[in-house]
Amino acid sequence: MLEVKKLSTYYYPNEKEVKAVDNVSFTVGKGEVLGILGESGSGKSTIAHSILRLIYPPGKIVAGEIILNGQDLLKLSEAEMIKIRGAKISMIFQDPFSSLNPVFPVGDQIAEGIELHQGLGKKQAWNKAIEMLQIVRIKDAELRIKDYPHQFSGGMRQRVMIAMALACQPQLLIADEPTTALDVAIQEEILHLIKDLQRKFNLSVLYITHNFGIIRALCQKVFVLYQGVVVEAGSVADVKNSPKHAYTKKLIEALEIIKGGIRE
């Protein structure tokens, strides 16, 4: 469904070259959950932004292919990419508060994408937005849809972001450490919600995290990113039981210390 081939995305601050992502290749099949594991600064988010073509100067995608259902996204115009973002590929970001517009009710923000990508009228889009809030288990959705982002807790805001991401039934969901800004109890609720919705809609998911416990609970396959380079890849079980790279071993050792992840 998604095939990334030899992707290289570099940044050029002050005329220096920084290889944020270098020669990275991977695939995500239909209904598959692939994890990207690595520490902050390893290039995980750069991969996500590259897929969505959201790399701006001083950054540049210098090589590679990003193929979605046989179509190379790097060869599309910006107008063509606008039709793909939110419709075929959606993303959940780390901080829902900064991702939501504070001056509009959440219903308007969810309905806007539905109108744009599905061609529905305002009333139909509004009703679909209510349905999406119900799907992500927000109580009294018919009332809460009129509320503003500041009227929701952090966990509820992230549920709104998930509703927005799934409203147009995308083929691929990118989740970029979506629980980082939440406390531990709420993290587990959101992770279970993502897991349930992935199964319900047979979603393809690219899950980005530094926590191997989350990878183990949510993903079938994983690749480990270190300084922009893939150092290990395989099934989650194989990587967990027989890590080959020293960096992977340290990440797994950290898991044993912090006991990260969710109950399965």
Side-chain angles (χ1 to χ4, degrees), residues 162-173:
I162 295 170
M164 191 180 303
L166 298 183
C168 296
Q169 299 176 325
Q171 297 168 344
L172 175 68
L173 176 67

Side-chain angles (χ1 to χ4, degrees), residues 92 132-138 155-163 166 173 179 186-201 203 207 218 262:
I92 309 170
M132 292 309 303
L133 288 186
Q134 292 169 337
I135 286 173
V136 298
R137 303 168 194 166
I138 290 181
M156 287 296 107
R157 282 194 292 269
Q158 196 60 284
R159 289 174 187 266
V160 170
M161 287 299 303
I162 295 170
L166 298 183
L173 176 67
T179 62
I186 303 302
Q187 282 184 26
E188 185 164 350
E189 289 181 10
I190 295 300
L191 290 170
H192 275 298
L193 177 61
I194 292 172
K195 188 172 185 177
D196 290 346
L197 293 177
Q198 186 275 326
R199 290 170 174 169
K200 178 181 177 69
F201 295 108
L203 279 170
Y207 199 100
L218 294 181
I262 64 175

Side-chain angles (χ1 to χ4, degrees), residues 106-122:
V106 298
D108 287 343
Q109 299 184 57
I110 299 171
E112 181 182 20
I114 297 170
E115 289 183 57
L116 174 65
H117 295 299
Q118 297 191 329
L120 298 181
K122 289 187 178 297

Side-chain angles (χ1 to χ4, degrees), residues 82-218:
I82 288 173
K83 295 179 181 179
I84 286 176
R85 297 188 196 109
K88 295 184 178 180
I89 304 175
S90 289
M91 187 165 174
I92 309 170
F93 296 91
Q94 293 184 23
D95 182 4
F97 194 70
S98 62
S99 301
L100 292 166
N101 192 321
V103 302
F104 290 103
V106 298
D108 287 343
Q109 299 184 57
I110 299 171
E112 181 182 20
I114 297 170
E115 289 183 57
L116 174 65
H117 295 299
Q118 297 191 329
L120 298 181
K122 289 187 178 297
K123 184 176 181 179
Q124 290 175 305
W126 188 262
N127 289 336
K128 178 70 179 291
I130 293 173
E131 180 186 343
M132 292 309 303
L133 288 186
Q134 292 169 337
I135 286 173
V136 298
R137 303 168 194 166
I138 290 181
K139 294 181 179 179
D140 302 318
E142 298 88 348
L143 300 176
R144 299 306 311 268
I145 196 168
K146 300 175 184 177
D147 288 344
Y148 291 81
H150 73 272
Q151 295 175 280
F152 290 83
S153 67
M156 287 296 107
R157 282 194 292 269
Q158 196 60 284
R159 289 174 187 266
V160 170
M161 287 299 303
I162 295 170
M164 191 180 303
L166 298 183
C168 296
Q169 299 176 325
Q171 297 168 344
L172 175 68
L173 176 67
I174 302 174
D176 187 4
E177 305 214 50
T179 62
T180 298
L182 307 175
D183 64 48
V184 174
I186 303 302
Q187 282 184 26
E188 185 164 350
E189 289 181 10
I190 295 300
L191 290 170
H192 275 298
L193 177 61
I194 292 172
K195 188 172 185 177
D196 290 346
L197 293 177
Q198 186 275 326
R199 290 170 174 169
K200 178 181 177 69
F201 295 108
N202 195 29
L203 279 170
S204 299
V205 179
L206 187 62
Y207 199 100
I208 296 169
T209 183
H210 61 276
N211 187 330
F212 195 88
I214 292 175
I215 294 288
R216 186 175 61 181
L218 294 181

Side-chain angles (χ1 to χ4, degrees), residues 78 87 103 225 255:
E78 177 59 19
V103 302
L225 201 65
L255 165 66

